[in-house]
Amino acid sequence: MSDTPSNTITLTIDGREVSVPKGTTLLKAAKQVGKDVPHYCYHDGLSSPAQCRLCLVEVEGAPKPMPACVTQAMDGQVVSTESEAALDMREGVLEFYLVNHPLDCPICDMSGECNLQDYVHAEGRDHGRSREPKRIFGRDDFGGDVLYYGDRCVMCTRCVRFMREVEQDGRLTVVERGNRSVIDTFFDRGLEGTQFSGNVVDLCPVGALVSKDFLYKARAWDLDHTPSICPSCSQGCNIELHTRDNLVQRLKPRENLEVNAFWMCDHGRLNYEWINHGDRLEAPLVREGDTVRAMGWKEALTALLQRLGDAAEKGVKVVASPLAPNEDLAALKALVEDLGGGEIVFRMPRAEDEIVLKGFPTMARRRDLAPNGRGAELLGMRRVGEDDGTGGLEGVSGHDGVVIVLGDALADQGPDFAAGSALLVYLGTHSGPAAAAADFVLPVTTFAEQEGTFTNHEGRVQRFWPALSAPGAARPAWLVLGALFAERTQSDSIRKADDAFARLVATHGAFAGLTYDDIGTRGALVSDTVPLSGD
Amino acid sequence: MSDVPFKNPGWAGNTGEYDLTEDQVRGDEFVGTRPIEGGHPSGSASYPYMLPDKDPEAPLFEGPYKDRFEKILTRYPNKQAALLPTLGLAQEVRGHVSPHTMDGVAELLGLSPAYVRGVATFYTMYNKRPVGRFLIQVCTNISCNLCGADDVMGAFLRYTDTELGETSEDGYFTVVEAECLAACGFPTCVQINSRYYENVTPADVPKIVEHLKAEGAGGD
Amino acid sequence: MAYPYVSDREVRVLSKYFGDPMQRRVDTYVERGGYQALKKAFEMGQDAVIDEVKASGLRGRGGAGFPAGLKWSFMPKQPTKPHYLLCNADESEPGTFKDRELLRWDPHQVIEGVLIASYAIRAKQAYIYCRGEFFETTQILAKALEDAYEKGYVGKDIMGSGNDIDITVHVGGGAYICGEETGLMNSLEGRRGQPRVKPPFPAAVGAFGMPSTVNNVETLSAVPHIVTHGGQWYRQWGTEKSPGTKLFCVSGHVNKPGNYELPLGFPLMDLINDVCGGMKDGKALKAVIPGGSSVPILDAQECADCNLDYEGVQTAGSMLGCASVIVMDEDTDIVKQVRRMVQFYAHESCGQCTPCREGSAWMLQILKRIEEGRGTEEDLQTMLDMSRQMTGTTICVLSDSVGAPVVSSINKFKDEYLALIRRGERVGVA
Ligand SMILES: Cc1cc2nc3c(=O)[nH]c(=O)nc-3n(C[C@H](O)[C@H](O)[C@H](O)COP(=O)(O)O)c2cc1C
Ligand code: SF4
Ligand code: SF4
Ligand code: SF4
Ligand code: FES
Ligand code: FES
């Protein structure tokens, strides 16, 4: 074990004793006593050049102030992060930053979540002394989604190191030297074609690198942050949804060293507009002859229950979606089994290649471009169709019993889909061919509007939380399906997502032992870790 | 070498009696196989010249330059370490290190072009744009400055009829300010292409400029 | 011969053949006893060589004055990886011009020193990192190296001893900071020449990630003499803590500027008045920078009884650095010269560390403004604060060097600043 006494050292930071494993840096040790020493160049996911000199602290007996980010804690050391000397040095560094900083906070996208603002506010001089004209670099389009405002840059080189060390495509560099240094690409050969460069925007501690997609879109302090899981592939990167006005404004990666470290890919990052898409199903719709009538949930479900039993006698065939959380899929499975059982298939687009993040190869934009294909398979659902996510539904379409479609809008299918079925039920978010053909259209929520879990490619079950309020009468599918099941079986209906999850755990061995609590924000592996078939 | 019509460049001429020729001081007799001819395997291949005649489109590399490049590679444990000498070699044939050149060097050494740009711009000796046949670098740092370097600089600008950093209309001269050239005891020190001219006073400048003009294509 | 910088008070050990072009020829060098020290070193064995250099008390001549033998002893004794010796010939500190002279007048002396040091630290490859501007000098060095290779003094099985040592001359691209030892290593590896954070120290992780030692040209040039004659012999000159001879680079307002090899501890005023023939045009002395532009300025009074050894100069309030004595007479505009030095550092800062990158450029802006008569008295305090915040806070000491001339000049020549500032105020009012 790493915690044997000889591997632990004890030191004093700001008058408080703290024990840390050998090799811990002063920056991390200070964090343990609740002091976040200002730092720019240091980042957990990158090498440490110790060049910004912002994290200087005083170490008793050392002739010079020491950079906390690379100085290893020693037994018996007495460290002060707040002594007069330490504060003086850091105040100096902060004043130096401001000599040429444009302080254009009113039009800076970083404003409100900017380390420079925070640090200067906390530890800077109350007025700057520079009266000199400022150096001007201007703005540069780096290609991809990235814009560079050179004047705001604090030269921490995080972005350069990310491209070199993590994406391992050295497209960024420091050009020139001294105070003429500036970050740049190779002339007009920018970041186009890179797959992870969006991360440099997150890494940038100031507003020097900003996202074109997010430019001037929202002020940081107006955004709500909700922990979530990226829905764009089976990697299951941990992310945050940043929302305002009930719309997703941007996605940001959330740290999880087991899955995505601090990163996410550009494909996932920019693939969120569909969540905001206006064309939503907002009320249950029931076909009555040639007309379609919107009605309340109670009325709709009652009507559906009346027809469901009889129609199911000719069998049930189901199309599910790998975008649906485990809870929805489990509720679907339970209902189908209660109706006498039937095959559940799903379709999932598959990319040609994996795009591996070279510096953190645990992470890749996986070939399966949906978050929960693994969950569906663990529930016994079968993948069908082509790599572009179409086809494979001939059997379902020709079925004459009950056809249930969950979450798959059937964009590739014609108006005669399952025309011969006794009953076509569609639980979905958006209108489309499936909604047009269905006898019952039941509006459900997107992952962003509900609580739930996805199971990623390696069998890690990860939670996400509701970030948006659902439109109209849309409800989580597990709630709708659970209500139908409860009515049919005369059992208690499920009211909470974790109950839905508990029911999944109770009925599916692979998930045995998992609870929302122990999944937490980090995820937990299912016990069955057979690789995804067909991969 | 040339008979330079002014007092002993490269030599503190006004400080005592001496009887050496310019060549003896410069060591021209003691220069080995010119790298331009391929150089010795010990690595002289990697010392570039600054040539007055340059071809911005010259290939990277062929003939003796290819040999020199390959020799450079043998002197280091990895390819990246050959970057500085290779940039020097590229500048020797092309006169300056253009984006196109950086790209070419990056490819030769298996480095990213942006990386090469970062390195090339760190150093002052790689000209990022074309310069005149004669790059005149006047040291104005403290020791030279104490002895009138600013006036020497002024004289060069006047007699070459250029602005600081600009190239004269005839394409002959680019005058730039240099930092200490490690010849502080022989002020003012001026480096013109590969050569040091020392103890330069404003009065020497017109002679030097005339001399360079006359030298023309005759080498550096 | 005809080297003009001679004085009968000199002790010419390293500079004995300055001015003698024949010394560049390998045959002449050997006739005069060259490469015998190398042979002796091979016979002594590595540890004995290190001990002898330790005994001599030879201190690094590149600026920091770190004992050379001690530095060598940090290298692993049982090499498990390649070792490198790096000879620092990036000489660019304003006021310093000794390494170029050593390289161009006595290149074999440098090569022999490099070979002995390489042998002592168990390196099979040495690099001589020459600043790129030294075109002429590297040509001479290259020829000497070729000759030495041909005669079997460098390369495989040197003089039949079974020792292999290769030497490569590497030319820089124009950057003062590559003289800093870790900047040099980065530059050698084909990177931006930015200094590295220490630890790890070069003896553990140096060039190409391998154990390395960096020594100045002059340090290495002294080594053959020490090996030949012994450490005690070297101690006949200099002081207890600063033994031996040193090349003093004198520039500025003296009658005979130049390189003079003198015992350490030599009185500064004797150097100026006697060795260098006194102040130019008989002017009075105003100030001296005794160790290159990175060290504090001494005023005339402090110079009066300053002895030129590491401790003596420290006592006087400055540092010996690389013994580059810049002499300024009564007419010198101190503010202008300080501005010129700061301009140099602002130009040469590698730009990694915030205090150095931003501070040096800002300092330059302030000094220019003062020079133009638009300064204020608060500027002086600002510059003192900045200097404090730039000293000891960065990866290398270039940042400290910006503060040295600024602080010392404000302390010692404040009235010159005030005169400019007040004249400025008058101009502003009128
Ligand atoms: C900014 C800076 C510039 C330096 N420039 C040189 C130089 O040009 N030549 C040199 O020998 N040492 C230079 N040094 C000192 C080297 O870092 C190193 O201490 C020296 O080369 C070690 O050799 P020595 O022990 O033989 O003196 C410089 C140091 C600093 C901080
Ligand atoms: S652009 Fe941002 S991340 Fe990159 S160096 Fe500048 S401040 Fe750092
Ligand atoms: S790798 Fe996959 S999960 Fe991660 S950000 Fe990209 S698309 Fe999203
Ligand atoms: S102190 Fe200056 S020169 Fe030295 S590493 Fe830092 S920025 Fe570079
Ligand atoms: S965070 Fe420690 S020096 Fe930058
Ligand atoms: S100051 Fe001009 S060469 Fe050193």
Side-chain angles (χ1 to χ4, degrees):
Chain A
M1 289 298 296
S2 63
D3 278 3
T4 55
S6 63
N7 282 330
T8 305
I9 50 171
T10 304
L11 68 161
T12 310
I13 301 180
D14 293 341
R16 291 185 51 191
E17 261 197 11
V18 55
S19 292
V20 293
K22 234 185 205 155
T24 306
T25 60
L26 292 181
L27 192 78
K28 295 230 162 107
K31 223 172 186 159
Q32 288 202 9
V33 301
K35 173 70 191 178
D36 191 9
V37 182
H39 58 276
Y40 271 144
C41 63
Y42 177 79
H43 185 280
D44 280 334
L46 303 171
S47 63
S48 310
Q51 63 176 66
C52 72
R53 315 309 284 182
L54 186 52
C55 66
L56 295 175
V57 297
E58 203 183 341
V59 177
E60 233 176 70
K64 298 172 172 190
M66 304 297 278
C69 61
V70 290
T71 307
Q72 293 192 357
M74 309 263 263
D75 207 29
Q77 216 169 27
V78 180
V79 177
S80 173
T81 71
E82 279 163 349
S83 69
E84 212 174 301
L87 287 174
D88 179 52
M89 295 306 157
R90 297 209 296 269
E91 183 186 275
V93 175
L94 289 167
E95 186 179 17
F96 290 136
Y97 277 126
L98 295 189
V99 171
N100 282 302
H101 199 87
L103 291 172
D104 55 351
C105 310
I107 51 151
C108 177
D109 271 348
M110 197 67 178
S111 199
E113 53 184 7
C114 172
N115 284 342
L116 189 60
Q117 287 180 331
D118 296 347
Y119 292 155
V120 174
H121 187 261
E123 299 195 346
R125 288 178 62 85
D126 45 13
H127 66 280
R129 289 176 293 186
S130 169
R131 315 200 273 124
E132 324 305 328
K134 298 197 182 214
R135 170 190 67 202
I136 308 245
F137 287 131
R139 180 175 118 156
D140 192 2
D141 185 346
F142 274 3
D145 184 44
V146 183
L147 266 187
Y148 177 62
Y149 286 83
D151 304 315
R152 295 180 191 153
C153 176
V154 294
M155 268 300 140
C156 68
T157 70
R158 282 184 184 184
C159 52
V160 176
R161 282 176 284 137
F162 175 84
M163 291 307 291
R164 274 198 198 143
E165 298 165 8
V166 187
E167 176 143 21
Q168 297 184 5
D169 183 352
R171 302 230 197 165
L172 292 181
T173 186
V174 181
V175 168
E176 276 287 346
R177 71 176 186 222
N179 123 310
R180 300 155 320 278
S181 307
V182 61
I183 306 295
D184 208 347
T185 59
F186 189 70
F187 303 96
D188 51 6
R189 227 177 291 164
L191 296 170
E192 293 87 1
T194 55
Q195 306 289 345
F196 297 92
S197 59
N199 290 298
V200 300
V201 173
D202 310 332
L203 280 172
C204 184
V206 293
L209 293 173
V210 298
S211 155
K212 291 182 207 166
D213 178 68
F214 185 70
L215 194 65
Y216 304 139
K217 222 158 94 174
R219 306 288 4 205
W221 50 84
D222 286 335
L223 294 172
D224 293 318
H225 301 186
T226 309
S228 190
I229 300 299
C230 173
S232 297
C233 89
S234 61
Q235 174 72 22
C237 290
N238 291 212
I239 62 166
E240 277 182 359
L241 304 180
H242 288 190
T243 54
R244 194 195 67 179
D245 301 338
N246 211 36
L247 294 171
V248 177
Q249 305 292 337
R250 64 177 177 189
L251 308 187
K252 287 273 183 188
R254 176 166 59 93
E255 178 190 339
N256 187 338
L257 293 177
E258 319 248 20
V259 181
N260 56 309
F262 314 88
W263 325 118
M264 73 186 295
C265 79
D266 296 349
H267 163 75
R269 182 185 298 269
L270 294 173
N271 182 27
Y272 64 86
E273 270 306 326
W274 63 270
I275 307 170
N276 294 339
H277 207 271
D279 187 18
R280 285 292 292 272
L281 299 169
E282 295 199 6
L285 302 172
V286 180
R287 184 178 306 280
E288 293 174 339
D290 283 343
T291 60
V292 172
R293 192 159 70 82
M295 49 180 80
W297 275 108
K298 188 155 182 157
E299 198 185 346
L301 292 189
T302 312
L304 175 57
L305 279 166
Q306 274 169 10
R307 291 179 58 187
L308 198 53
D310 293 346
E313 267 159 28
K314 289 196 195 148
V316 184
K317 290 208 170 177
V318 184
V319 182
S321 161
L323 264 170
N326 292 318
E327 291 73 4
D328 295 7
L329 295 175
L332 175 66
K333 180 104 190 274
L335 179 68
V336 171
E337 269 163 20
D338 179 58
L339 289 169
E343 192 183 30
I344 308 181
V345 299
F346 67 93
R347 308 185 301 167
M348 176 156 65
R350 189 195 294 248
E352 255 175 46
D353 295 304
E354 251 179 25
I355 303 171
V356 179
L357 182 53
K358 293 202 185 86
F360 185 74
T362 309
M363 174 182 172
R365 205 293 324 275
R366 300 286 161 189
R367 292 186 61 195
D368 291 332
L369 299 179
N372 205 24
R374 184 72 196 276
E377 300 217 337
L378 285 171
L379 291 172
M381 303 177 183
R382 189 168 65 88
R383 178 179 196 158
V384 296
E386 309 296 322
D387 280 357
D388 61 358
T390 63
L393 298 182
E394 300 72 20
V396 184
S397 186
H399 183 55
D400 57 357
V402 174
V403 173
I404 302 176
V405 178
L406 167 65
D408 187 332
L410 305 178
D412 60 319
Q413 302 293 316
D416 54 347
F417 176 81
S421 66
L423 179 65
L424 175 56
V425 183
Y426 173 56
L427 298 93
T429 53
H430 292 85
S431 47
D439 301 306
F440 284 82
V441 175
L442 305 178
V444 297
T445 51
T446 64
F447 81 105
E449 295 151 359
Q450 71 178 81
E451 193 175 356
T453 57
F454 291 138
T455 308
N456 83 347
H457 71 110
E458 55 159 353
R460 178 177 301 275
V461 181
Q462 306 192 97
R463 293 177 67 182
F464 53 82
W465 282 261
L468 303 172
S469 53
R475 293 289 177 270
W478 57 261
L479 185 67
V480 177
L481 295 162
L484 291 169
F485 179 82
E487 278 301 321
R488 285 182 51 82
T489 56
Q490 297 301 309
S491 57
D492 289 342
S493 64
I494 304 170
R495 304 233 141 256
K496 296 206 323 263
D498 54 353
D499 293 339
F501 187 71
R503 185 162 299 177
L504 157 72
V505 171
T507 47
H508 293 86
F511 294 85
L514 298 180
T515 66
Y516 266 18
D517 274 354
D518 35 72
I519 296 172
T521 53
R522 287 283 172 272
L525 287 171
V526 295
S527 51
D528 173 7
T529 49
V530 185
L532 194 59
S533 62
D535 220 25
Chain B
M1 284 294 283
S2 62
D3 51 336
V4 183
F6 52 89
K7 67 168 187 281
N8 301 290
W11 193 242
N14 53 356
T15 53
E17 291 304 310
Y18 53 90
D19 53 18
L20 293 181
T21 65
E22 186 200 345
D23 283 359
Q24 284 175 317
V25 175
R26 286 197 185 282
D28 287 337
E29 296 168 23
F30 303 92
V31 166
T33 326
R34 286 288 192 183
I36 222 156
E37 287 125 33
H40 184 271
S42 64
S44 51
S46 60
Y47 326 132
Y49 278 117
M50 284 164 90
L51 303 173
D53 292 304
K54 311 144 189 168
D55 171 11
E57 295 304 320
L60 299 178
F61 295 99
E62 68 183 18
Y65 285 98
K66 190 167 182 348
D67 296 345
R68 284 170 66 187
F69 171 65
E70 273 156 17
K71 230 167 267 171
I72 290 171
L73 292 180
T74 66
R75 305 305 294 178
Y76 302 94
N78 63 34
K79 268 186 156 184
Q80 178 183 291
L83 178 52
L84 266 62
T86 307
L87 284 169
L89 203 59
Q91 172 153 305
E92 180 178 333
V93 293
R94 289 186 168 176
H96 75 288
V97 177
S98 63
H100 173 61
T101 302
M102 293 178 200
D103 208 11
V105 169
E107 197 178 321
L108 281 173
L109 298 178
L111 300 166
S112 94
Y115 177 88
V116 172
R117 184 180 180 204
V119 173
T121 54
F122 186 86
Y123 299 96
T124 51
M125 287 179 61
Y126 306 118
N127 305 320
K128 264 63 79 180
R129 54 196 179 110
V131 295
R133 294 174 68 95
F134 298 104
L135 179 63
I136 301 175
Q137 312 193 59
V138 185
C139 170
T140 59
N141 213 310
I142 180 160
S143 301
C144 294
N145 204 302
L146 288 169
C147 301
D150 287 347
D151 298 335
V152 175
M153 168 65 92
F156 269 108
L157 292 175
R158 192 160 61 250
Y159 286 101
T160 59
D161 195 19
T162 52
E163 301 281 327
L164 193 63
E166 302 299 324
T167 299
S168 61
E169 259 171 43
D170 56 13
Y172 264 62
F173 303 111
T174 308
V175 183
V176 298
E177 190 171 31
E179 294 301 350
C180 175
L181 292 164
C184 326
F186 327 117
T188 292
C189 179
V190 182
Q191 181 172 28
I192 303 179
N193 285 0
S194 298
R195 287 177 97 161
Y196 274 29
Y197 292 70
E198 289 154 77
N199 290 317
V200 177
T201 63
D204 300 327
V205 172
K207 283 181 282 177
I208 297 178
V209 171
E210 281 318 308
H211 165 72
L212 293 174
K213 275 185 182 159
E215 203 172 292
D220 68 336
Chain C
M1 281 297 144
Y3 198 68
Y5 316 113
V6 279
S7 152
D8 44 18
R9 299 189 62 181
E10 277 189 279
V11 180
R12 296 181 59 170
V13 178
L14 310 190
S15 61
K16 185 166 178 192
Y17 296 106
F18 279 13
D20 177 359
M22 298 312 278
Q23 177 73 357
R24 297 160 174 162
R25 294 183 40 194
V26 66
D27 292 343
T28 316
Y29 183 73
V30 171
E31 270 163 35
R32 292 171 176 170
Y35 291 113
Q36 289 312 304
L38 178 63
K39 194 160 179 224
K40 183 172 174 197
F42 288 156
E43 285 158 10
M44 287 163 68
Q46 284 97 341
D47 297 340
V49 172
I50 295 182
D51 287 344
E52 204 59 56
V53 173
K54 268 190 187 164
S56 75
L58 174 65
R59 296 175 62 166
R61 305 301 194 213
F66 193 85
L70 187 60
K71 193 190 271 190
W72 295 0
S73 69
F74 296 151
M75 293 290 281
K77 296 276 179 296
Q78 247 72 49
T80 53
K81 305 170 183 170
H83 290 187
Y84 293 106
L85 180 89
L86 312 173
C87 171
N88 192 339
D90 192 51
E91 183 169 62
S92 332
E93 169 99 358
T96 313
F97 52 102
K98 62 193 175 61
D99 298 342
R100 172 166 168 259
E101 298 294 280
L102 286 164
L103 288 164
R104 68 176 181 155
W105 289 116
D106 208 341
H108 288 288
Q109 179 176 259
V110 180
I111 292 171
E112 190 172 4
V114 168
L115 290 166
I116 296 172
S118 301
Y119 171 70
I121 65 159
R122 299 164 167 86
K124 298 209 175 308
Q125 169 77 52
Y127 290 95
I128 303 179
Y129 186 109
C130 285
R131 67 178 291 185
E133 288 86 349
F134 283 174
F135 289 98
E136 296 175 306
T137 309
T138 41
Q139 301 301 328
I140 295 170
L141 178 63
K143 164 71 172 161
L145 191 55
E146 284 168 29
D147 293 348
Y149 258 101
E150 248 136 54
K151 300 271 174 184
Y153 296 122
V154 192
K156 297 269 168 290
D157 189 20
I158 296 171
M159 294 189 281
S161 67
N163 294 304
D164 304 341
I165 301 168
D166 276 302
I167 301 180
T168 298
V169 178
H170 179 87
V171 291
Y176 164 66
I177 196 59
C178 296
E180 199 282 338
E181 56 184 7
T182 54
L184 184 148
M185 296 186 304
N186 271 342
S187 181
L188 179 67
E189 291 177 21
R191 303 170 198 274
R192 296 166 59 83
Q194 297 170 331
R196 300 176 183 173
V197 178
K198 289 184 269 188
F201 292 95
V205 183
F208 306 105
M210 304 300 166
S212 307
T213 296
V214 183
N215 274 126
N216 174 254
V217 169
E218 188 186 350
T219 317
L220 293 173
S221 296
V223 168
H225 302 282
I226 291 169
V227 168
T228 303
H229 302 286
Q232 279 314 312
W233 167 85
Y234 192 66
R235 283 186 172 276
Q236 67 182 290
W237 302 288
T239 68
E240 174 60 28
K241 288 186 171 164
S242 306
T245 62
K246 172 87 190 75
L247 287 170
F248 287 88
C249 313
V250 189
S251 63
H253 298 140
V254 291
N255 278 323
K256 285 171 58 188
N259 265 301
Y260 298 95
E261 186 169 1
L262 298 163
L264 280 159
F266 198 83
L268 171 57
M269 291 318 291
D270 282 12
L271 176 64
I272 295 173
N273 292 328
D274 184 5
V275 176
C276 295
M279 297 294 293
K280 210 190 242 165
D281 303 330
K283 296 250 173 70
L285 177 69
K286 182 184 224 170
V288 169
I289 304 179
S293 65
S294 302
V295 307
I297 303 173
L298 297 177
D299 61 24
Q301 208 183 341
E302 289 167 319
C303 292
D305 39 30
C306 172
N307 285 344
L308 295 168
D309 53 279
Y310 294 94
E311 291 69 30
V313 181
Q314 206 160 2
T315 310
S318 186
M319 287 182 290
L320 185 65
C322 20
S324 318
V325 181
I326 306 171
V327 181
M328 295 181 252
D329 71 17
E330 52 188 324
D331 295 338
T332 305
D333 180 345
I334 293 282
V335 179
K336 178 183 174 192
Q337 295 309 333
V338 169
R339 188 267 297 157
R340 187 61 189 82
M341 286 187 273
V342 170
Q343 182 179 330
F344 168 73
Y345 290 112
H347 184 258
E348 300 298 333
S349 161
C350 82
Q352 296 184 86
C353 314
T354 310
C356 176
R357 177 184 66 244
E358 303 294 338
S360 58
W362 184 20
M363 195 82 89
L364 176 61
Q365 285 178 310
I366 296 176
L367 284 164
K368 276 188 172 160
R369 191 158 45 72
I370 292 176
E371 243 190 298
E372 289 161 8
R374 296 186 293 114
T376 66
E377 286 181 36
E378 292 79 66
D379 286 334
L380 300 185
Q381 187 55 46
T382 304
M383 289 198 291
L384 290 175
D385 288 346
M386 289 166 69
S387 301
R388 184 183 68 248
Q389 289 161 335
M390 290 170 71
T391 302
T393 55
T394 50
I395 294 177
C396 83
V397 294
L398 185 138
S399 184
D400 305 39
S401 306
V402 182
V406 172
V407 174
S408 56
S409 65
I410 293 180
N411 288 340
K412 296 170 194 174
F413 301 96
K414 193 167 187 176
D415 41 344
E416 294 202 23
Y417 283 95
L418 291 178
L420 271 168
I421 288 167
R422 296 197 175 132
R423 192 180 68 214
E425 278 168 2
R426 274 205 303 280
V427 170
V429 173

